Amino acid sequence: MSRRDEIAANLLAVQGKITRPNITLIAVTKTYPVSDVQILHELGVRNFGENRNEEGLEKAAQVEGRWHFQGEIQSRKLRDIARWADVIHSLDDASHATKLNLVTEKEIDVFLQLSLDGDPARGGVRASELAALGAHLHTLPNVNLVGLMCVLPLGVEARIGFTEVAKIHRDFQGEFPGAQSLSAGMSGDFEIAIDCGATHIRVGSQILGMRPPHG
């Protein structure tokens, strides 16, 4: 089986598990070669996710699409990230939002990263801090708040976790009606995330196979 046939079969299988309309499938291409991204583009995929600025810069220059940055944000790399990313999923700091507003040359869509457990090593802000951060973003003309993103803490049962995330998102929408998107769910749990209300899912290995080692 060729690489193209393998990716096409995996992509079809994932698409068959998407049970609601209007779900944005983001193919997470981190550590995979640009040739895989080109195959995905040929197969009709237009949303791609990267966790590392360097990889995003390289791949976005070669493959047209809507590029999503979902890694940990480093302030010194924000200008570069804003050059290639159309969407940032991992904003959790008001100072990063302020700098992003200054360095971006285009309006950029942003998800606030929610943390259910407050673990600083995993990024994100607690639900109680979302409103203040959202209000700050509304003062920044080049930063467009579109919703929330969450990666569940280790050990949390997916349905319980995503149900809580969805409730927090509904409450947040009450204050920020434009923040209608919820980025939740990856290769191992995206079906449950969709059931619970996710609008964006980030899927890598179920489409592209075992992740290659990355130096």
Side-chain angles (χ1 to χ4, degrees):
M1 180 184 290
S2 70
R3 181 60 171 155
R4 190 183 194 282
D5 289 345
E6 177 189 358
I7 292 175
N10 291 345
L11 177 63
L12 193 62
V14 167
Q15 289 170 332
K17 296 174 182 177
I18 295 175
T19 52
R20 286 196 293 110
N22 303 320
I23 299 294
T24 298
L25 169 61
I26 301 164
V28 179
T29 56
K30 66 175 184 179
T31 75
Y32 296 99
V34 71
S35 56
D36 282 355
V37 188
Q38 290 164 337
I39 289 171
L40 286 167
H41 191 275
E42 291 168 8
L43 294 169
V45 176
R46 293 295 181 268
N47 287 274
F48 305 102
E50 281 292 335
N51 286 49
R52 295 188 182 200
N53 173 56
E54 293 76 9
E55 279 192 80
L57 271 171
E58 176 192 355
K59 294 173 184 174
Q62 298 179 66
V63 182
E64 187 176 351
R66 186 162 171 80
W67 284 88
H68 301 251
F69 178 78
Q70 51 200 40
E72 180 183 355
I73 295 173
Q74 294 176 289
S75 180
R76 62 187 175 85
K77 295 187 177 181
L78 268 172
R79 186 184 298 274
D80 273 353
I81 292 168
R83 283 172 52 201
W84 63 267
D86 303 290
V87 189
I88 293 178
H89 288 244
S90 48
L91 191 76
D92 62 0
D93 184 292
S95 67
H96 289 163
T98 300
K99 181 169 182 179
L100 179 63
N101 181 67
L102 291 173
V103 300
T104 184
E105 296 178 359
K106 61 183 185 295
E107 185 175 293
I108 193 161
D109 288 345
V110 166
F111 290 80
L112 300 185
Q113 183 174 349
L114 165 67
S115 171
L116 290 185
D117 62 359
D119 182 355
R122 294 171 58 83
V125 299
R126 286 198 177 269
S128 60
E129 302 169 321
L130 287 171
L133 188 52
H136 178 63
L137 261 67
H138 273 199
T139 69
L140 306 174
N142 297 324
V143 179
N144 180 37
L145 175 60
V146 297
L148 302 182
M149 184 277 272
C150 189
V151 179
L152 295 184
L154 297 174
V156 172
E157 197 278 318
R159 191 164 297 277
I160 293 171
F162 287 132
T163 298
E164 181 180 355
V165 170
K167 180 187 182 303
I168 292 168
H169 180 234
R170 286 193 299 273
D171 292 344
F172 187 73
Q173 278 184 278
E175 205 160 342
F176 302 94
Q180 297 184 9
S181 298
L182 179 59
S183 175
M186 299 185 287
S187 281
D189 55 20
F190 72 85
E191 292 172 86
I192 297 171
I194 290 171
D195 283 348
C196 293
T199 63
H200 292 62
I201 55 174
R202 310 179 306 277
V203 182
S205 59
Q206 277 213 26
I207 297 172
L208 294 170
M210 186 175 293
R211 197 171 295 284
H214 194 284

